[in-house]
Amino acid sequence: MNLSFFDQFSSPSLMGIPLVLISMTFPALLLPTPGNRWVTSRLSTLQLWFINLVTKQLMMPLDKKGHKWALILTSLMIFLLLVNLLGLLPYTFTPTTQLSMSLALAFPLWLATLLTGLRNQPSISLGHLLPEGTPTPLIPALIMIETTSLLIRPLALGVRLTANLTAGHLLIQLISTATTVLFTTMPAVSLLTLLILFLLTILEVAVAMIQAYVFVLLLSLYLQENI
Amino acid sequence: MGLEWFPDLYPDGEGLRIFPGKRFHEDVRITAEVPKGGFTQGQQGPLWERPLMEVRLGELHTWISTCNFSPQGLLGAAQRAWSSYCAKYIHVKQGGPAGISMLLAGYCLLSYGWNYQHFKRHRWRKYH
């Protein structure tokens, strides 16, 4: 029984191409490239509005040096948003449920922020390891704690994304299985479970969007400290 | 690129493309309907120049024999098909949800087909 519930996270291949490859490249088809027209389509207008909103929101706390990161952070946000939301459609595969992908996104970007800080302003970056106003006897312990907290950031970023999405997908599968099984014996309870499933799906849509936003927001925060 | 990329200096989306090279212009297909003499009703021109939707069923095998099945030919055909789809459903002034919904439905069907070998056994399991 356990084997069947985790099967949704495997990526079967047909003709040698794993499904994860398609699910990662499909979001590119949903974003139209702006042509050289004055009046664009509704989809292009929506996309432009959304990208402007995201970029303004992310770049406001950063100064001019941080604006170099605008492209990568905005595109990461759009990618994660689309990939998470597409995974809620039936029979589709969500690549961010794989820890390998989340860590592959989190680790290099976090390391880039850290190295930027250490290269350009090493003493300020190291200074973040000790909050202001700590009592002197606590300093060694606090430095070690802050270093651990710094080093665990990429792991936390990746695992947060994967765990939230995986848990959501598993819950949806469990509750829908319960609904189907109960339908023949106790229809009233099955209807209640269906209501719970409906609410859970709304929650999952929200979680998909929030997790993408949190991932990119935390990266911009780490950048803010180090730039 | 950051914020120093000015779209006016790169017309036609030049700096943003994944595949290099000139783009297929969507409005080349829009031509005036000029009736050419000497053809029976329904014939519109040489067989190999017509798009797939205007080829009659009986001529299909002939049309396929004139197709270019090299990688460039197939890639060109795929790009033309995608451009026609976008021009018809997405790049219209008042597009609705239909264009994107068809894409998403196609994606769900594709995923179903990809996973089929895996869950065709689910129907026959006793315990799920």
Side-chain angles (χ1 to χ4, degrees):
Chain A
M1 182 172 156
N2 285 333
L3 200 57
S4 174
F5 278 123
F6 284 95
D7 281 346
Q8 58 178 314
F9 301 123
S10 65
S11 154
S13 10
L14 192 68
M15 301 186 285
I17 305 176
L19 186 59
V20 61
L21 206 64
I22 302 181
S23 54
M24 285 207 282
T25 50
F26 183 71
L29 289 180
L30 297 174
L31 299 168
T33 43
N36 49 357
R37 295 185 177 204
W38 171 250
V39 179
T40 46
S41 55
R42 280 179 176 175
L43 193 63
S44 291
T45 317
L46 255 174
Q47 177 193 314
L48 190 66
W49 164 80
F50 186 68
I51 291 182
N52 282 344
L53 183 76
V54 166
T55 315
K56 244 192 313 189
Q57 184 77 358
L58 285 176
M59 293 295 126
M60 252 194 319
L62 292 170
D63 59 353
K64 191 137 194 298
K65 281 185 290 177
H67 291 174
K68 279 188 269 202
W69 285 67
L71 184 63
I72 193 168
L73 286 179
T74 312
S75 52
L76 182 67
M77 168 86 171
I78 303 279
F79 174 68
L80 283 177
L81 206 63
L82 280 177
V83 144
N84 289 349
L85 285 173
L86 282 175
L88 289 170
L89 293 171
Y91 296 115
T92 47
F93 180 79
T94 324
T96 35
T97 50
Q98 310 297 315
L99 195 61
S100 52
M101 171 149 169
S102 302
L103 284 178
L105 284 173
F107 204 90
L109 290 169
W110 164 81
L111 195 62
T113 58
L114 184 67
L115 291 178
T116 314
L118 284 177
R119 183 181 180 269
N120 297 337
Q121 39 181 38
S123 35
I124 302 181
S125 291
L126 286 174
H128 280 305
L129 288 178
L130 188 67
E132 268 183 51
T134 30
T136 325
L138 272 179
I139 290 181
L142 209 56
I143 298 258
M144 286 197 288
I145 292 174
E146 289 284 333
T147 312
T148 322
S149 141
L150 177 75
L151 294 175
I152 219 163
R153 275 177 184 176
L155 211 65
L157 270 178
V159 171
R160 182 187 302 113
L161 184 61
T162 298
N164 269 291
L165 290 177
T166 313
H169 282 243
L170 269 174
L171 266 176
I172 287 180
Q173 190 164 14
L174 278 167
I175 296 189
S176 56
T177 313
T179 315
T180 328
V181 163
L182 282 173
F183 191 66
T184 46
T185 46
M186 293 182 276
V189 181
S190 173
L191 273 170
L192 187 67
T193 332
L194 192 66
L195 181 69
I196 296 179
L197 184 63
F198 180 65
L199 294 172
L200 185 68
T201 313
I202 297 178
L203 177 71
E204 277 313 305
V205 170
V207 162
M209 297 193 284
I210 289 170
Q211 285 308 314
Y213 177 61
V214 158
F215 192 94
V216 178
L217 184 72
L218 281 173
L219 270 175
S220 74
L221 276 170
Y222 301 155
L223 183 67
Q224 229 178 307
E225 281 183 0
N226 283 313
I227 199 116
Chain B
M1 278 195 285
L3 295 173
E4 278 95 27
W5 187 84
F6 298 104
D8 306 313
L9 295 175
Y10 299 91
D12 230 357
E14 199 188 288
L16 294 174
R17 243 165 269 151
I18 302 176
F19 302 109
K22 269 183 66 152
R23 260 248 286 246
F24 174 74
H25 290 284
E26 292 103 345
D27 44 17
V28 163
R29 187 70 51 88
I30 303 173
T31 48
E33 301 273 314
V34 175
K36 303 187 189 83
F39 287 105
T40 55
Q41 188 194 19
Q43 258 185 318
Q44 283 136 2
L47 184 57
W48 59 90
E49 279 177 1
R50 279 187 254 161
L52 182 57
M53 286 296 129
E54 290 163 30
V55 171
R56 285 183 292 181
L57 260 176
E59 300 164 345
L60 195 61
H61 58 281
T62 333
W63 183 84
I64 288 182
S65 65
T66 61
C67 260
N68 179 14
F69 283 117
S70 66
Q72 290 93 342
L74 286 174
L75 208 63
Q79 197 169 2
R80 256 176 289 135
W82 177 248
S83 300
S84 319
Y85 179 85
C86 279
K88 185 164 183 197
Y89 290 108
I90 300 184
H91 295 319
V92 277
K93 227 178 1 170
Q94 290 187 340
I100 291 285
S101 317
M102 280 198 280
L103 276 175
L104 293 178
Y107 177 54
C108 287
L109 281 173
L110 184 75
S111 307
Y112 181 84
W114 223 268
N115 283 332
Y116 185 69
Q117 295 296 324
H118 184 80
F119 54 63
K120 75 179 177 188
R121 283 171 257 139
H122 281 195
R123 257 190 303 138
W124 305 324
R125 270 183 97 112
K126 192 156 183 240
Y127 299 109
H128 275 257

